[in-house]
Amino acid sequence: MNEYPPIEAHGLVGDLQTCALVSRDGTVDWCPFPDIESPSVFASILDTERGGHFTVAPETAFEAEQSYVDRTNVLQTTFSTEQGEIRLTDFMVPTKGDIGGDGERAFYRKVEGRDGTVPIEATFRPRFDYGRAETATTARDGTVVASADETDDRVTLSSSLDFEVEDAEATATASLTPADAYWFVARYDPDAEVSDALPDQVLENTVEFWHDWVHTCDIEECIFEGAWHDLAVRSGLALKLLTHEETGSICAAPTTSLPEDVGGVRNWDYRYNWIRDAAFTVQALANLGHTYEAMRYVNWFLERCHAGDPAEIQPLYGLHGETGLTEEELDHLDGYRGSKPVRIGNGAADQRQLDTYGELILAVSETARFADIVSEDDWDALRGIVEYVCDVWDERDAGIWEVRGGPKHFVFSKVMCWVALDRGIAMAEENVFDAPTDRWRDVRDRIKSTVLEEGYDEGNGYFLQAFGDDDTLDATGLLVPVVGFLPVDDERVRNTIDAIQAQLTSEDGLVRRYDGDDGLPGEEGAFLWCSFWLVNALALSGRIREAEDLFTSLSGVVNHVGLLAEEIDPESGAHLGNFPQGFSHIGLINSALYLAHAKDGGESTTKPMGMRLGDGISLGNTE
């Protein structure tokens, strides 16, 4: 291997504990084991020589198409050559359900002939611990065993083809006719019980698992009806793959160090659970009907609330609740298309981000709309968080964007402190919980008056990124009406929406996060989550035609199998950043919800944030 495929040229498969990227050329070029935040076994997307890969593809030139088996996370790649056509089916066995053996961690690949006679080659080249460990590989009687001398890592590959090994790389060749099919089953833990089921039965069971889980509805009555229904369903399936079944936590993305600026240093590890995403994730999952996942997700955060002092709550955690996410640079890897450094861990875990408290309380509040989840003990912890916010809301922090240029008085952080108090008051009163609500109201009012005085630029007519940052516009201003800080028909909200459209938005409706300096060299692309925020703000404003046109344009940037990265290059349309990105898919689902609700005149019983607050919101008309 010596070329890097485009980031968007991938599908995703997973087993609810880890994930793998499979490119359209038949290569597994990213897969950590045993968990999504574990060291990689295949990482050629970060270094084509040292990273390791697992490829099954024609030996001759080909064209490829990739798609999912309908309403599943089973991926199929069809290769067309001059000699004929073959199909590769990829999936991992979900760890939830009785599909494989007890505790089996397996990656299944099936290649079958469809037309003509096509020569193929399979290359199995694991490289453990991000390519840092020495790999020993042997092959015998249809089984390849790869192990790392420095660790206990071991992967076995079973196949009916005979493999030859050279330089710790196993290869096999065959010619496929329509009568031929070969299976490759890679297992991470060879000591686990191996399924007695034939691979075709495991495939059938996996398809059935996804069909049982996926969003189902009467399409004519579904809130997501119309052209965006299938995109919302696919986004729900992607979010499920990012969910860790053992804990209920959800990672922001399954990859590390895919660049926001190709060739630059904006490369981060996103395989962790951010509180920042919580409320919007709950809204997305619940409205797709996945309330079990939404409740487990919030309960995971409630466990963090019980852990101790609110001052020690982190912006992000490991998927098992780990707090020590020390950032490390892997100098031996070249990085995607020379984008260095490659990072593991994330230093933002040590940052102070005051918006985190509002996002946590908001997530609990949103979940309480459909489930009774807050116990007296939970409330004691939540009350402690609101009390802490009363004491620290007027201090500086790193903000939602985790800037590394020093703490500031970020406007969005203040707004979310207001949200923590606002939702805390509502929960206390609705549930008759003990709380100093009079004090909380006083502090809530002080936060609002301070933000309106110091965070809104009267001259330019928009909310600033931070107090004193003249002319620095931030897309988080789009969330002011969504979280209920101001009604959407407030002149300051309307002005901010217009300013973001004029200054941060490309002709295709792609929105940049901000226009200020963040302390890092290089430039990033447009942020998809912010782009979906604009859809929501327009829908809330009654500018439904604009919102619909923008959402249609954004829907056009999904890749060939319906997945989204973190960012889009406005000029080339290339995907940038870690892939697929959870909050991009959360944004797509929620924007479809806002639009559907706005278009039916607010009559739907499914009401997203901002449309249930009654703060002078006018849906307007559809013109």
Side-chain angles (χ1 to χ4, degrees):
M1 295 185 65
N2 53 19
E3 293 186 1
Y4 293 92
I7 290 172
E8 65 269 22
H10 293 87
L12 183 75
V13 297
D15 66 0
L16 308 184
Q17 284 187 234
T18 193
C19 291
L21 291 183
V22 183
S23 71
R24 277 187 294 197
D25 66 3
T27 297
V28 179
D29 56 16
W30 174 255
C31 185
F33 264 124
D35 297 299
I36 209 164
E37 73 271 41
S38 299
S40 63
V41 175
F42 304 115
S44 56
I45 198 167
L46 297 177
D47 191 310
T48 58
E49 295 301 319
R50 300 178 185 88
H53 65 96
F54 181 12
T55 302
V56 178
E59 286 190 293
T60 57
F62 60 81
E63 294 182 355
E65 294 183 356
Q66 201 173 55
S67 62
Y68 284 106
V69 175
D70 188 42
R71 301 168 67 82
T72 77
N73 282 313
V74 175
L75 188 67
Q76 293 187 323
T77 308
T78 301
F79 299 97
S80 298
T81 73
E82 290 185 357
Q83 294 84 10
E85 182 178 285
I86 61 173
R87 173 176 289 170
L88 177 65
T89 299
D90 287 305
F91 65 96
M92 298 179 80
V93 180
T95 54
K96 179 181 180 180
D98 300 324
I99 297 177
D102 183 19
E104 181 182 24
R105 305 295 304 283
F107 190 128
Y108 283 73
R109 315 195 78 186
K110 178 185 182 180
V111 61
E112 56 190 320
R114 292 172 57 82
D115 181 63
T117 301
V118 180
I120 67 161
E121 181 175 70
T123 304
F124 185 66
R125 184 184 172 89
R127 292 295 181 264
F128 297 99
D129 192 22
Y130 305 108
R132 291 183 291 194
E134 290 293 326
T135 302
T137 303
T138 60
R140 183 179 179 183
D141 299 332
T143 299
V144 179
V145 178
S147 59
D149 293 338
E150 298 89 340
T151 69
D152 294 330
D153 292 312
R154 185 155 60 111
V155 173
T156 63
L157 177 67
S158 301
S159 175
S160 55
L161 291 181
D162 290 327
F163 279 80
E164 296 182 356
V165 176
E166 183 176 353
D167 295 330
E169 176 179 285
T171 59
T173 59
S175 293
L176 267 67
T177 71
D180 298 319
Y182 296 102
W183 281 95
F184 307 89
V185 184
R187 294 182 173 88
Y188 177 73
D189 183 0
D191 296 326
E193 178 185 337
V194 176
S195 171
D196 292 331
L198 295 174
D200 281 304
Q201 184 62 54
V202 177
L203 171 58
E204 183 179 332
N205 293 345
T206 301
V207 169
E208 183 179 355
F209 170 87
W210 290 114
H211 284 168
D212 288 344
W213 179 85
V214 74
H215 167 75
T216 55
C217 61
D218 181 339
I219 188 66
E220 295 182 357
E221 298 182 3
C222 181
I223 188 66
F224 297 105
E225 70 168 314
W228 309 311
H229 182 274
D230 290 348
L231 284 176
V233 171
R234 173 51 54 195
S235 290
L237 284 161
L239 285 178
K240 181 63 172 177
L241 286 181
L242 302 185
T243 302
H244 198 285
E245 182 58 35
E246 182 181 341
T247 65
S249 58
I250 301 176
C251 67
T255 55
T256 181
S257 299
L258 295 185
E260 300 168 7
D261 177 25
V262 175
V265 301
R266 295 172 181 262
N267 318 311
W268 315 107
D269 192 346
Y270 274 15
R271 296 173 295 161
Y272 306 110
N273 194 353
W274 266 260
I275 294 177
R276 169 199 63 196
D277 307 339
F280 300 99
T281 304
V282 166
Q283 181 172 255
L285 289 171
N287 284 291
L288 278 172
H290 304 310
T291 55
Y292 170 78
E293 282 77 10
M295 290 173 61
R296 288 195 72 206
Y297 182 56
V298 171
N299 281 327
W300 188 89
F301 284 120
L302 286 172
E303 292 177 11
R304 310 284 82 73
C305 296
H306 287 282
D309 188 344
E312 297 178 358
I313 292 177
Q314 298 183 176
L316 63 147
Y317 292 87
L319 301 186
H320 293 84
E322 301 93 334
T323 57
L325 307 180
T326 303
E327 193 167 290
E328 178 183 354
E329 296 183 1
L330 303 182
D331 295 331
H332 67 287
L333 295 178
D334 286 343
Y336 177 84
R337 292 173 58 189
S339 303
K340 301 186 74 168
V342 172
R343 294 183 173 95
I344 56 174
N346 198 305
D350 297 327
Q351 288 185 346
R352 189 186 203 200
Q353 298 176 24
L354 295 178
D355 60 290
T356 293
Y357 300 104
E359 287 141 5
L360 196 157
I361 299 294
L362 183 59
V364 175
S365 174
E366 285 298 303
T367 308
R369 296 171 61 186
F370 59 84
D372 183 13
I373 64 165
V374 182
S375 67
E376 289 285 350
D377 286 343
D378 292 332
W379 177 248
D380 287 343
L382 294 171
R383 183 180 58 204
I385 290 172
V386 180
E387 284 285 278
Y388 179 72
V389 170
C390 288
D391 295 334
V392 301
W393 70 269
D394 58 351
E395 298 179 7
R396 300 171 186 265
D397 74 327
I400 187 175
W401 302 132
E402 303 172 346
V403 297
R404 304 198 175 194
K408 296 181 179 181
H409 287 291
F410 285 100
V411 170
F412 184 69
S413 294
K414 311 300 184 191
V415 168
M416 293 312 295
C417 286
W418 179 94
V419 168
L421 287 154
D422 183 71
R423 300 312 196 271
I425 292 166
M427 283 194 288
E429 294 181 341
E430 290 169 7
N431 296 280
V432 197
F433 288 140
D434 179 50
T437 52
D438 288 341
R439 175 176 181 249
W440 290 0
R441 285 190 180 88
D442 289 342
V443 177
R444 182 184 63 176
D445 293 344
R446 273 190 281 137
I447 295 174
K448 175 169 279 190
S449 62
T450 302
V451 168
L452 296 180
E453 181 178 345
E454 300 189 44
Y456 184 77
D457 187 322
E458 293 283 355
N460 286 306
Y462 52 70
F463 283 99
L464 296 166
Q465 182 180 68
F467 296 173
D469 274 2
D470 294 341
D471 303 331
T472 303
L473 182 61
D474 192 304
T476 53
L478 295 167
L479 294 177
V480 167
V482 172
V483 300
F485 184 81
L486 285 177
V488 75
D489 59 359
D490 187 285
E491 181 180 11
R492 290 160 293 195
V493 171
R494 294 200 306 266
N495 290 343
T496 300
I497 294 172
D498 291 342
I500 289 171
Q501 281 188 294
Q503 298 181 41
L504 296 184
T505 307
S506 72
E507 293 182 359
D508 296 328
L510 295 166
V511 179
R512 292 182 291 116
R513 291 191 291 176
Y514 43 73
D515 58 11
D517 179 34
D518 58 10
L520 290 171
E523 295 184 2
E524 61 183 20
F527 216 64
L528 279 169
W529 202 17
C530 299
S531 306
F532 288 117
W533 290 349
L534 180 55
V535 174
N536 304 344
L538 291 171
L540 281 169
S541 302
R543 297 161 65 175
I544 299 173
R545 181 63 59 80
E546 286 182 74
E548 191 169 11
D549 289 347
L550 174 56
F551 189 73
T552 299
S553 178
L554 294 174
S555 299
V557 305
V558 299
N559 82 339
H560 58 288
V561 289
L563 300 179
L564 292 166
E566 177 184 8
E567 301 177 8
I568 299 292
D569 183 331
E571 295 184 2
S572 68
H575 288 221
L576 298 171
N578 285 302
F579 175 89
Q581 185 70 38
F583 54 60
S584 296
H585 288 283
I586 292 164
L588 187 151
I589 295 168
N590 285 335
S591 288
L593 175 65
Y594 276 91
L595 266 174
H597 184 78
K599 290 178 70 176
D600 76 1
E603 295 299 321
S604 169
T605 58
T606 306
K607 291 180 173 61
M609 281 184 287
M611 286 185 170
R612 66 186 180 92
L613 300 172
D615 291 329
I617 293 170
S618 173
L619 290 175
N621 57 51
T622 58
E623 294 304 315

